[in-house]
Amino acid sequence: MKKITFLFIVFTQILLGQNNISLDYYLPQNISFNQEIPTPKEIIGHEVGEWHVTHDKLVEYMKKIAEVSPRVSIENRGETYEGRPIILLTITAPENHSNITEIRKSHVQLTENSGNSLNTENMPIVVYQGFSIHGNEPSGSNAALATIYYLAAAEGNEINDLLKNTVILLDPSLNPDGLQRFAYWANTNRSHVLNPDPNDREYEEVWPGGRTNHYWFDLNRDWLPIQLPESKARIKTFHQWMPNILTDHHEMGTNSTFFFQPGEPSRVNPLTPKMNQQFTKEIAKYHAKALDKIGSLYYSEEDYDDFYYGKGSTFPDINGSIGILFEQGSSRGHIQESENGILTFPFTIRNQFTTALSTLEAAKNLRVDILNYQREFYSNARKEAAKSKSSAYIFGDEKDAAKTYQLAKILESQKIELYQANEDITINEKTFKKGYSYLVPKNQKNHRLIEAMFDIRTEFEDSLFYDISAWTFPYAFNLDFEETKTAGDRTNNITLRTGNVNEQSNYAYLFDWHEYYTPKALNMILNKGLRAKVGKTPFSLEGKDYDYGTIMIPVQNQKLNKSELYEFLQKVAKEAHIEITSVATGLTKGIDLGSNDFEALKKQKVALIVGNGITSYDAGEIWHLFDQRYNMQITKLDTDNLGRTSLDKYTTIILPNIWGSALNGTATQKIKDWVRNGGTLIGYRNAVNWLERNDLLKVEFKKNEMTAKNITFEQKQFFSGAQVTGGAIFKANLDRSHPINFGYKNETLPVFRNTNIYMEPNEESYNNPIQYDLNPLLSGYISEENLELLKGAVPFKVQRNGSGRVIAFTDNTNFRAFWYGTNKLLMNAIFFSKVM
Ligand SMILES: [Zn+2]
């Protein structure tokens, strides 16, 4: 009765804007709390749920708790792009803390061969609890305040028993930059008289929103490729601790209730053991019971899946752990009308808090079974691995050490053992050069993770995917790979080779365009005001072969004198990790260095269209590519201001995926004039439709004209869902002589595709330098109808328009920062468009 009255008061007071929320609203009843432990309000100045906690306040509270509680320690594992700490709290009984290194070591030993002799009866279970990886799904991080208070301050046998048997790794903000961005939005638009009207500005964040990190990446797709600092920190913790359960607290649409895994049973990755899903189901009973108790609606076994291992709730499943996804209907701001009545921010926090605690209760009760499951997972994996004997994957690119290094680095961070061959190995006419390739023996501990990363799959139980259906890493990196026998030596020290210029030249310098960081080098050279040219034809000189796209820097008539030029190029070679060769003559076998087949290159000034109507992921990937990989300046032009901005100074403008009427008539006309006057406009995905509509590009599309036959209303969703190409990998054939393909050594290229835009090829074959194969599916799901359309279609087009160029890519060449294999296509479009 007391509780009901209390709830009623909270409810009405929130509506009246008196904001009289109390910490008791969240906490379990009839428990005493240690008065020495400060409440969140005592440190951050407001009650949990009264305001959206900013990341700095969150950190302040966590630090304070670690300072005063013998149950809690804190560490900073790195920095986000905006310099925020990536903290982790370790929470366990004080007697465990004094012995924490031993506990960790023996826990990890459970996954080793020597773990068979360990007694799991007395071992604590390890639970990793992660909150709000999407920054604008804030109930998780705000619940972390109440969770840490409870874990530090609660008294009695129950908490003592829990902490004795559990090590909790609490990651209160999986996305600090996104959380901060969203808190700023929700707080600055909060009214004193809280307003639940969904039309209020509070509930309509401005572009790009707080979901993503600094470069607008979805961090919950990066657990496998680990390209971003936040992921790097948490994957390190994961492998250090090998947690048994990992939870991932999210939010979904305002009209939804609460979801917990297991998800859709037919969409579990087939590499995940059945037992994993059974434990998930067993744990789910604890969530259901806890939510029943507080009267909250919920559901499971629908909507969400467990397929892509790059997600936080699925990654653990291939690593002997159990990943659990929570999704809370979002109040987005402080209070909002919904189909389930008024949805308050505190209510959403309470559900997250409640399931954080039910997870811990499940962990404690199922402790020994789950520990044994983890041990068995690895012992079974070892047995499977042993069957592969000395079999290994070999990957590499004999002309690109940097790209090879980047994949090796991911595998190393995922604790996969690598070997280096002592000599060149040739398999199926592909050469795996020493120093440019690595071997991955299948017979090793993380055998299953390797299979997940090298997986090639074209058949599926279900035709609906929450995310991508393929991510085969050697394809993503466009590296040669084969199966072979393990050979060579184990390597623990993967390094990116330092670049070099062999000696000073009086005549010219040359470098091949194959290495990943060559655009960085060329950009440095052109920015310095130096003259450089690109060779359109292969040649050989002084015993070395040079391919299409070789860059030549003459010594004569430059801004720098001979020795300054040599010194500068040394710096370029080092920073871009490339070999620059000094030559003494211009007389070659093939085109001479003074030939007209060498075309002069210009310094580039690139702009990227961002803002309302642009897909922020796609734009962010390009911003990140320029800023982090190639050290190239890129100006972000907002769609709202484009009509008022002079475009004259830009040589190239990139238009990422666009929807709606993002660009008004004035802006569109401005872009058209700018192209005619010599600009290069590069459009991606839906921008290709925009280019066509605005007469900037002539293109014929192939269309999927399917109509439903014998499909019931109930089946409608599956019918249309099956036609979505969520993300799969396809084989394209390359005309290597075309400048868009400079730097590619193979005649084929794996291309990632997540659209259904199909361009007809041009009648003239030389206008189709990249064309999908007649048997294009390499890995992933695509419907039969769409596969037919894709055969022979082209993902790229270039067209002259006045003195400018319009370039179209139907596919994303910069996908999620780990699709290294096609990054060079964009750079070629920028530096070589005038040669096309
Ligand atoms: Zn989310």
Side-chain angles (χ1 to χ4, degrees), residues 132-137 211 218 220-221 248-252 304 325-327 332 466:
S132 300
I133 195 162
H134 296 138
N136 63 0
E137 300 174 4
R211 176 182 175 89
D218 185 337
N220 198 32
R221 303 293 182 266
D248 190 17
H249 291 259
H250 288 250
E251 288 185 3
M252 55 184 164
Y304 298 94
L325 172 70
F326 295 117
E327 295 274 356
R332 212 56 79 186
Y466 188 80

PDB file of all heavy atoms in Angstrom, residues 132-137 211 218 220-221 248-252 304 325-327 332 466, ligand 1:
ATOM      1  N   SER A 132      24.210   1.964 -22.644  1.00  0.00           N
ATOM      2  CA  SER A 132      24.018   3.066 -23.593  1.00  0.00           C
ATOM      3  C   SER A 132      25.114   3.201 -24.630  1.00  0.00           C
ATOM      4  O   SER A 132      25.698   4.260 -24.807  1.00  0.00           O
ATOM      5  CB  SER A 132      23.836   4.387 -22.835  1.00  0.00           C
ATOM      6  OG  SER A 132      22.706   4.306 -21.988  1.00  0.00           O
ATOM      7  N   ILE A 133      25.361   2.129 -25.359  1.00  0.00           N
ATOM      8  CA  ILE A 133      26.326   2.215 -26.473  1.00  0.00           C
ATOM      9  C   ILE A 133      25.790   3.169 -27.534  1.00  0.00           C
ATOM     10  O   ILE A 133      26.551   3.753 -28.294  1.00  0.00           O
ATOM     11  CB  ILE A 133      26.620   0.805 -27.042  1.00  0.00           C
ATOM     12  CG1 ILE A 133      27.881   0.846 -27.918  1.00  0.00           C
ATOM     13  CG2 ILE A 133      25.429   0.236 -27.800  1.00  0.00           C
ATOM     14  CD1 ILE A 133      28.507  -0.489 -28.163  1.00  0.00           C
ATOM     15  N   HIS A 134      24.483   3.318 -27.573  1.00  0.00           N
ATOM     16  CA  HIS A 134      23.877   4.382 -28.377  1.00  0.00           C
ATOM     17  C   HIS A 134      23.575   5.540 -27.427  1.00  0.00           C
ATOM     18  O   HIS A 134      22.739   5.410 -26.526  1.00  0.00           O
ATOM     19  CB  HIS A 134      22.613   3.876 -29.069  1.00  0.00           C
ATOM     20  CG  HIS A 134      22.914   2.780 -30.061  1.00  0.00           C
ATOM     21  ND1 HIS A 134      22.139   1.658 -30.203  1.00  0.00           N
ATOM     22  CD2 HIS A 134      23.947   2.666 -30.932  1.00  0.00           C
ATOM     23  CE1 HIS A 134      22.680   0.890 -31.142  1.00  0.00           C
ATOM     24  NE2 HIS A 134      23.778   1.479 -31.594  1.00  0.00           N
ATOM     25  N   GLY A 135      24.268   6.647 -27.624  1.00  0.00           N
ATOM     26  CA  GLY A 135      24.237   7.748 -26.657  1.00  0.00           C
ATOM     27  C   GLY A 135      22.854   8.341 -26.436  1.00  0.00           C
ATOM     28  O   GLY A 135      22.569   8.875 -25.357  1.00  0.00           O
ATOM     29  N   ASN A 136      21.990   8.256 -27.444  1.00  0.00           N
ATOM     30  CA  ASN A 136      20.647   8.803 -27.254  1.00  0.00           C
ATOM     31  C   ASN A 136      19.658   7.733 -26.778  1.00  0.00           C
ATOM     32  O   ASN A 136      18.457   7.861 -26.966  1.00  0.00           O
ATOM     33  CB  ASN A 136      20.150   9.511 -28.523  1.00  0.00           C
ATOM     34  CG  ASN A 136      20.026   8.565 -29.705  1.00  0.00           C
ATOM     35  OD1 ASN A 136      20.311   7.379 -29.587  1.00  0.00           O
ATOM     36  ND2 ASN A 136      19.608   9.092 -30.838  1.00  0.00           N
ATOM     37  N   GLU A 137      20.209   6.679 -26.183  1.00  0.00           N
ATOM     38  CA  GLU A 137      19.385   5.663 -25.504  1.00  0.00           C
ATOM     39  C   GLU A 137      19.844   5.673 -24.046  1.00  0.00           C
ATOM     40  O   GLU A 137      20.467   4.740 -23.556  1.00  0.00           O
ATOM     41  CB  GLU A 137      19.589   4.310 -26.188  1.00  0.00           C
ATOM     42  CG  GLU A 137      19.182   4.373 -27.666  1.00  0.00           C
ATOM     43  CD  GLU A 137      19.486   3.118 -28.472  1.00  0.00           C
ATOM     44  OE1 GLU A 137      19.949   2.123 -27.896  1.00  0.00           O
ATOM     45  OE2 GLU A 137      19.237   3.151 -29.678  1.00  0.00           O
ATOM     46  N   ARG A 211      23.188   9.118 -31.061  1.00  0.00           N
ATOM     47  CA  ARG A 211      23.323   7.662 -31.141  1.00  0.00           C
ATOM     48  C   ARG A 211      24.787   7.230 -31.318  1.00  0.00           C
ATOM     49  O   ARG A 211      25.250   6.266 -30.738  1.00  0.00           O
ATOM     50  CB  ARG A 211      22.509   7.157 -32.326  1.00  0.00           C
ATOM     51  CG  ARG A 211      22.640   5.660 -32.580  1.00  0.00           C
ATOM     52  CD  ARG A 211      21.831   5.263 -33.826  1.00  0.00           C
ATOM     53  NE  ARG A 211      22.015   3.872 -34.189  1.00  0.00           N
ATOM     54  CZ  ARG A 211      21.275   2.872 -33.719  1.00  0.00           C
ATOM     55  NH1 ARG A 211      20.322   3.100 -32.856  1.00  0.00           N
ATOM     56  NH2 ARG A 211      21.487   1.634 -34.098  1.00  0.00           N
ATOM     57  N   ASP A 218      28.186   3.842 -35.582  1.00  0.00           N
ATOM     58  CA  ASP A 218      27.414   3.021 -34.667  1.00  0.00           C
ATOM     59  C   ASP A 218      28.402   2.089 -33.963  1.00  0.00           C
ATOM     60  O   ASP A 218      28.900   1.127 -34.553  1.00  0.00           O
ATOM     61  CB  ASP A 218      26.376   2.214 -35.457  1.00  0.00           C
ATOM     62  CG  ASP A 218      25.451   1.435 -34.541  1.00  0.00           C
ATOM     63  OD1 ASP A 218      25.852   1.162 -33.384  1.00  0.00           O
ATOM     64  OD2 ASP A 218      24.340   1.111 -34.976  1.00  0.00           O
ATOM     65  N   ASN A 220      27.926  -0.061 -31.879  1.00  0.00           N
ATOM     66  CA  ASN A 220      27.426  -1.421 -31.684  1.00  0.00           C
ATOM     67  C   ASN A 220      27.503  -2.266 -32.955  1.00  0.00           C
ATOM     68  O   ASN A 220      26.755  -3.215 -33.126  1.00  0.00           O
ATOM     69  CB  ASN A 220      25.991  -1.406 -31.155  1.00  0.00           C
ATOM     70  CG  ASN A 220      25.623  -2.741 -30.542  1.00  0.00           C
ATOM     71  OD1 ASN A 220      26.473  -3.420 -29.980  1.00  0.00           O
ATOM     72  ND2 ASN A 220      24.364  -3.139 -30.689  1.00  0.00           N
ATOM     73  N   ARG A 221      28.394  -1.899 -33.866  1.00  0.00           N
ATOM     74  CA  ARG A 221      28.680  -2.749 -35.015  1.00  0.00           C
ATOM     75  C   ARG A 221      30.183  -3.035 -35.083  1.00  0.00           C
ATOM     76  O   ARG A 221      30.663  -3.629 -36.014  1.00  0.00           O
ATOM     77  CB  ARG A 221      28.242  -2.051 -36.319  1.00  0.00           C
ATOM     78  CG  ARG A 221      26.765  -1.653 -36.369  1.00  0.00           C
ATOM     79  CD  ARG A 221      25.838  -2.854 -36.410  1.00  0.00           C
ATOM     80  NE  ARG A 221      24.448  -2.439 -36.503  1.00  0.00           N
ATOM     81  CZ  ARG A 221      23.636  -2.272 -35.456  1.00  0.00           C
ATOM     82  NH1 ARG A 221      24.086  -2.486 -34.227  1.00  0.00           N
ATOM     83  NH2 ARG A 221      22.389  -1.897 -35.629  1.00  0.00           N
ATOM     84  N   ASP A 248      23.988  -5.608 -22.600  1.00  0.00           N
ATOM     85  CA  ASP A 248      24.053  -4.453 -23.485  1.00  0.00           C
ATOM     86  C   ASP A 248      22.688  -3.748 -23.401  1.00  0.00           C
ATOM     87  O   ASP A 248      21.713  -4.221 -23.971  1.00  0.00           O
ATOM     88  CB  ASP A 248      24.326  -5.015 -24.891  1.00  0.00           C
ATOM     89  CG  ASP A 248      24.655  -3.960 -25.899  1.00  0.00           C
ATOM     90  OD1 ASP A 248      24.986  -2.843 -25.485  1.00  0.00           O
ATOM     91  OD2 ASP A 248      24.596  -4.260 -27.114  1.00  0.00           O
ATOM     92  N   HIS A 249      22.636  -2.636 -22.659  1.00  0.00           N
ATOM     93  CA  HIS A 249      21.361  -1.961 -22.378  1.00  0.00           C
ATOM     94  C   HIS A 249      21.062  -0.857 -23.402  1.00  0.00           C
ATOM     95  O   HIS A 249      21.782   0.142 -23.459  1.00  0.00           O
ATOM     96  CB  HIS A 249      21.389  -1.356 -20.978  1.00  0.00           C
ATOM     97  CG  HIS A 249      21.394  -2.376 -19.873  1.00  0.00           C
ATOM     98  ND1 HIS A 249      20.259  -2.700 -19.159  1.00  0.00           N
ATOM     99  CD2 HIS A 249      22.382  -3.150 -19.362  1.00  0.00           C
ATOM    100  CE1 HIS A 249      20.552  -3.621 -18.244  1.00  0.00           C
ATOM    101  NE2 HIS A 249      21.839  -3.905 -18.347  1.00  0.00           N
ATOM    102  N   HIS A 250      19.994  -1.043 -24.165  1.00  0.00           N
ATOM    103  CA  HIS A 250      19.602  -0.107 -25.237  1.00  0.00           C
ATOM    104  C   HIS A 250      18.213   0.476 -24.997  1.00  0.00           C
ATOM    105  O   HIS A 250      17.527   0.140 -24.037  1.00  0.00           O
ATOM    106  CB  HIS A 250      19.533  -0.848 -26.576  1.00  0.00           C
ATOM    107  CG  HIS A 250      20.844  -1.233 -27.148  1.00  0.00           C
ATOM    108  ND1 HIS A 250      21.362  -0.643 -28.267  1.00  0.00           N
ATOM    109  CD2 HIS A 250      21.744  -2.175 -26.762  1.00  0.00           C
ATOM    110  CE1 HIS A 250      22.525  -1.192 -28.555  1.00  0.00           C
ATOM    111  NE2 HIS A 250      22.787  -2.129 -27.656  1.00  0.00           N
ATOM    112  N   GLU A 251      17.798   1.317 -25.973  1.00  0.00           N
ATOM    113  CA  GLU A 251      16.414   1.783 -26.041  1.00  0.00           C
ATOM    114  C   GLU A 251      15.876   1.608 -27.450  1.00  0.00           C
ATOM    115  O   GLU A 251      16.632   1.599 -28.417  1.00  0.00           O
ATOM    116  CB  GLU A 251      16.325   3.273 -25.648  1.00  0.00           C
ATOM    117  CG  GLU A 251      16.526   3.511 -24.168  1.00  0.00           C
ATOM    118  CD  GLU A 251      16.314   4.972 -23.795  1.00  0.00           C
ATOM    119  OE1 GLU A 251      15.948   5.788 -24.675  1.00  0.00           O
ATOM    120  OE2 GLU A 251      16.518   5.289 -22.615  1.00  0.00           O
ATOM    121  N   MET A 252      14.561   1.509 -27.543  1.00  0.00           N
ATOM    122  CA  MET A 252      13.884   1.414 -28.846  1.00  0.00           C
ATOM    123  C   MET A 252      12.759   2.452 -28.897  1.00  0.00           C
ATOM    124  O   MET A 252      12.724   3.375 -28.096  1.00  0.00           O
ATOM    125  CB  MET A 252      13.376  -0.005 -29.061  1.00  0.00           C
ATOM    126  CG  MET A 252      12.487  -0.521 -27.954  1.00  0.00           C
ATOM    127  SD  MET A 252      12.018  -2.252 -28.234  1.00  0.00           S
ATOM    128  CE  MET A 252      11.446  -2.697 -26.612  1.00  0.00           C
ATOM    129  N   TYR A 304      14.524  -8.880 -32.537  1.00  0.00           N
ATOM    130  CA  TYR A 304      15.979  -8.761 -32.546  1.00  0.00           C
ATOM    131  C   TYR A 304      16.629 -10.114 -32.786  1.00  0.00           C
ATOM    132  O   TYR A 304      16.055 -11.147 -32.453  1.00  0.00           O
ATOM    133  CB  TYR A 304      16.469  -8.165 -31.223  1.00  0.00           C
ATOM    134  CG  TYR A 304      15.921  -6.771 -31.024  1.00  0.00           C
ATOM    135  CD1 TYR A 304      14.753  -6.573 -30.299  1.00  0.00           C
ATOM    136  CD2 TYR A 304      16.548  -5.683 -31.612  1.00  0.00           C
ATOM    137  CE1 TYR A 304      14.232  -5.302 -30.144  1.00  0.00           C
ATOM    138  CE2 TYR A 304      16.034  -4.403 -31.454  1.00  0.00           C
ATOM    139  CZ  TYR A 304      14.869  -4.215 -30.717  1.00  0.00           C
ATOM    140  OH  TYR A 304      14.365  -2.962 -30.572  1.00  0.00           O
ATOM    141  N   LEU A 325      20.897  -8.743 -24.887  1.00  0.00           N
ATOM    142  CA  LEU A 325      20.427  -7.438 -25.329  1.00  0.00           C
ATOM    143  C   LEU A 325      19.182  -7.043 -24.551  1.00  0.00           C
ATOM    144  O   LEU A 325      18.259  -7.841 -24.391  1.00  0.00           O
ATOM    145  CB  LEU A 325      20.089  -7.507 -26.823  1.00  0.00           C
ATOM    146  CG  LEU A 325      19.402  -6.300 -27.458  1.00  0.00           C
ATOM    147  CD1 LEU A 325      20.366  -5.124 -27.536  1.00  0.00           C
ATOM    148  CD2 LEU A 325      18.894  -6.646 -28.858  1.00  0.00           C
ATOM    149  N   PHE A 326      19.178  -5.795 -24.057  1.00  0.00           N
ATOM    150  CA  PHE A 326      17.978  -5.204 -23.460  1.00  0.00           C
ATOM    151  C   PHE A 326      17.576  -4.000 -24.299  1.00  0.00           C
ATOM    152  O   PHE A 326      18.435  -3.225 -24.718  1.00  0.00           O
ATOM    153  CB  PHE A 326      18.255  -4.708 -22.038  1.00  0.00           C
ATOM    154  CG  PHE A 326      18.593  -5.797 -21.063  1.00  0.00           C
ATOM    155  CD1 PHE A 326      19.839  -5.829 -20.449  1.00  0.00           C
ATOM    156  CD2 PHE A 326      17.674  -6.783 -20.748  1.00  0.00           C
ATOM    157  CE1 PHE A 326      20.160  -6.826 -19.539  1.00  0.00           C
ATOM    158  CE2 PHE A 326      17.982  -7.791 -19.835  1.00  0.00           C
ATOM    159  CZ  PHE A 326      19.230  -7.817 -19.234  1.00  0.00           C
ATOM    160  N   GLU A 327      16.285  -3.849 -24.529  1.00  0.00           N
ATOM    161  CA  GLU A 327      15.783  -2.690 -25.268  1.00  0.00           C
ATOM    162  C   GLU A 327      14.602  -2.118 -24.489  1.00  0.00           C
ATOM    163  O   GLU A 327      13.608  -2.799 -24.282  1.00  0.00           O
ATOM    164  CB  GLU A 327      15.307  -3.096 -26.671  1.00  0.00           C
ATOM    165  CG  GLU A 327      16.401  -3.609 -27.594  1.00  0.00           C
ATOM    166  CD  GLU A 327      17.119  -2.489 -28.346  1.00  0.00           C
ATOM    167  OE1 GLU A 327      16.705  -1.309 -28.212  1.00  0.00           O
ATOM    168  OE2 GLU A 327      18.096  -2.800 -29.055  1.00  0.00           O
ATOM    169  N   ARG A 332      13.035   9.328 -24.654  1.00  0.00           N
ATOM    170  CA  ARG A 332      13.891  10.230 -25.450  1.00  0.00           C
ATOM    171  C   ARG A 332      14.288  11.479 -24.679  1.00  0.00           C
ATOM    172  O   ARG A 332      15.456  11.757 -24.518  1.00  0.00           O
ATOM    173  CB  ARG A 332      13.230  10.572 -26.795  1.00  0.00           C
ATOM    174  CG  ARG A 332      14.217  10.803 -27.914  1.00  0.00           C
ATOM    175  CD  ARG A 332      15.154   9.640 -28.124  1.00  0.00           C
ATOM    176  NE  ARG A 332      14.553   8.550 -28.879  1.00  0.00           N
ATOM    177  CZ  ARG A 332      15.165   7.374 -29.083  1.00  0.00           C
ATOM    178  NH1 ARG A 332      16.374   7.153 -28.617  1.00  0.00           N
ATOM    179  NH2 ARG A 332      14.577   6.412 -29.741  1.00  0.00           N
ATOM    180  N   TYR A 466      18.671  -8.386 -39.100  1.00  0.00           N
ATOM    181  CA  TYR A 466      18.646  -7.103 -38.393  1.00  0.00           C
ATOM    182  C   TYR A 466      19.788  -6.229 -38.901  1.00  0.00           C
ATOM    183  O   TYR A 466      19.692  -5.018 -38.926  1.00  0.00           O
ATOM    184  CB  TYR A 466      18.784  -7.340 -36.887  1.00  0.00           C
ATOM    185  CG  TYR A 466      18.579  -6.102 -36.075  1.00  0.00           C
ATOM    186  CD1 TYR A 466      17.287  -5.660 -35.795  1.00  0.00           C
ATOM    187  CD2 TYR A 466      19.659  -5.365 -35.620  1.00  0.00           C
ATOM    188  CE1 TYR A 466      17.083  -4.516 -35.068  1.00  0.00           C
ATOM    189  CE2 TYR A 466      19.460  -4.220 -34.887  1.00  0.00           C
ATOM    190  CZ  TYR A 466      18.170  -3.793 -34.607  1.00  0.00           C
ATOM    191  OH  TYR A 466      17.980  -2.652 -33.887  1.00  0.00           O
TER     192      TYR A 466
HETATM  193 ZN    ZN B   1      20.524   0.852 -29.365  1.00  0.00          ZN
END
